[in-house]
Every structure is written in structure tokens, then in C-alpha cells.
Amino acid sequence: MKKYYLYINLSLLFFSTNVTAEENGKHLMKKLCSSCHVTEGKPTLAPPIFAMKSHVKRAYTNRNDFVQRIIDWVEEPDAAIALMPGAVNRFGLMPKLSYKEEEVRKIAEYIYDTKIKLPEWYQKHYKQKHGDEPNQ
Ligand code: HEC
């Protein structure tokens, strides 16, 4: 039995040192966020990831502030401080999800660090609404 656990622990260690932070964040984002926040195409349940990023980055330009804001939001979504009130009206407030802070941090860092290609419809939509280019 002991041997068995040791084997599992070693293989976990091996696995985690072999995936980069970026792959980790991307994988976690797909698993925990993309069922609602699509990475491509038109939104159905929530704003796409790139739209959410653009709004959060507009208000929180600095990487640490951006990451902290996403962690705080996921822990306690609150319509009173929503940066996307239009999305709250359209989709309803994001439900409270009990995700691990460390996982949300990796996701937020991945989103901040990755330049996401914006579809043309979104660039037009953003410019019309906000008068400038979206933050990538
Ligand atoms: C069950 C569906 C669902 C899941 C899963 C989900 N979200 Fe959301 N999220 C929403 C909806 C709906 C909105 C738009 C309404 C709002 O802002 O509450 C939203 C909005 C947001 C916003 C904008 C907040 C603001 O200031 O307006 C952020 C940031 C966000 N989500 C981050 C995440 C992250 C990170 C994950 C994964 C860890 C995630 N969401 C998973 C449904 C979801």
C-alpha cells in the first residue's frame, strides 16, 4: 500500500514539473471557465474570455491588480461592482463557484499573459461602445 502511494506521489511530482505554468493555466481555464466563457465564437452563457479580459484589463492594467481582481470576483461575484453591467443584465450574475484560489490565480495569470486574437465582430462592437481599441 505504502509503495503504491509513493508511486502516485512521484508521478504527480513528475507531471507537475513537466507542465509549464502557461499550459497549466490554459488547461484550468478550459476546464473551469470555458463551459460559460467561450474562447472563440459568439457568446451564449457569458461574455467570451477575450471580452472579459478586455474589460478587466481596462480597469486593472497592472498584472497583480488584474490577477487579484479576478480572484476576488470568482470568490464572490457581486453585481454592485461588476465591470460588465451589460453582461449581468444579459446573462445574469455569474454564479459563485467554489474554485481553489491557486487554480484561479494560474488561470488569471495565463489570461493576462496571453495575447488573444480578437474576432472582427468584437473589435467593431467594442469600438462602437467604448470609442477605442479593446485591450488584448
Ligand atoms: C456557470 C457559468 C460561468 C462559469 C463557469 C464562469 N463564469 Fe465568469 N461570468 C459568468 C457570467 C454569466 C458573467 C457575466 C455576468 C457577470 O458579470 O456576473 C461572468 C463574468 C465574469 C467576469 C466579469 C466580472 C465583472 O466585473 O463584470 C469575470 C472576471 C469572470 N466571469 C471570470 C471567470 C473565471 C476566471 C472563471 C473560471 C475560473 C469563470 N468566470 C467561470 C458565468 C460564468
Side-chain angles (χ1 to χ4, degrees):
M1 204 57 175
K2 261 200 183 140
K3 247 190 187 165
Y4 185 60
Y5 279 121
L6 185 68
Y7 175 72
I8 297 209
N9 282 338
L10 281 177
S11 59
L12 279 178
L13 188 71
F14 183 71
F15 178 70
S16 56
T17 48
N18 260 298
V19 281
T20 63
E22 188 192 331
E23 282 167 353
N24 222 330
K26 185 177 184 177
H27 171 77
L28 286 167
M29 181 187 83
K30 292 228 152 122
K31 192 170 129 198
L32 304 179
C33 317
S34 297
S35 53
C36 294
H37 296 281
V38 295
T39 49
E40 278 168 43
K42 296 262 184 177
T44 51
L45 296 170
I49 291 280
F50 51 78
M52 177 264 264
K53 172 179 182 178
S54 160
H55 284 82
V56 179
K57 209 172 164 198
R58 190 184 171 84
Y60 299 87
T61 321
N62 175 281
R63 188 177 189 262
N64 283 343
D65 298 344
F66 177 93
V67 168
Q68 195 54 50
R69 162 73 199 203
I70 297 216
I71 290 172
D72 293 345
W73 174 266
V74 173
E75 197 183 308
E76 193 68 65
D78 178 0
I81 58 150
L83 296 166
M84 307 181 77
V88 177
N89 284 337
R90 181 170 166 196
F91 305 105
L93 183 66
M94 175 166 146
K96 193 175 156 129
L97 305 155
S98 311
Y99 292 157
K100 288 196 196 96
E101 179 178 326
E102 261 331 289
E103 295 194 331
V104 178
R105 179 181 301 281
K106 284 189 188 128
I107 294 170
E109 288 172 351
Y110 168 74
I111 293 174
Y112 188 92
D113 294 340
T114 309
K115 200 167 171 173
I116 305 170
K117 201 176 173 306
L118 301 170
E120 221 171 275
W121 68 264
Y122 181 71
Q123 299 201 22
K124 276 196 199 136
H125 161 87
Y126 193 94
K127 235 180 167 168
Q128 242 173 22
K129 271 201 123 163
H130 303 283
D132 56 2
E133 302 289 335
N135 294 286
Q136 282 176 280

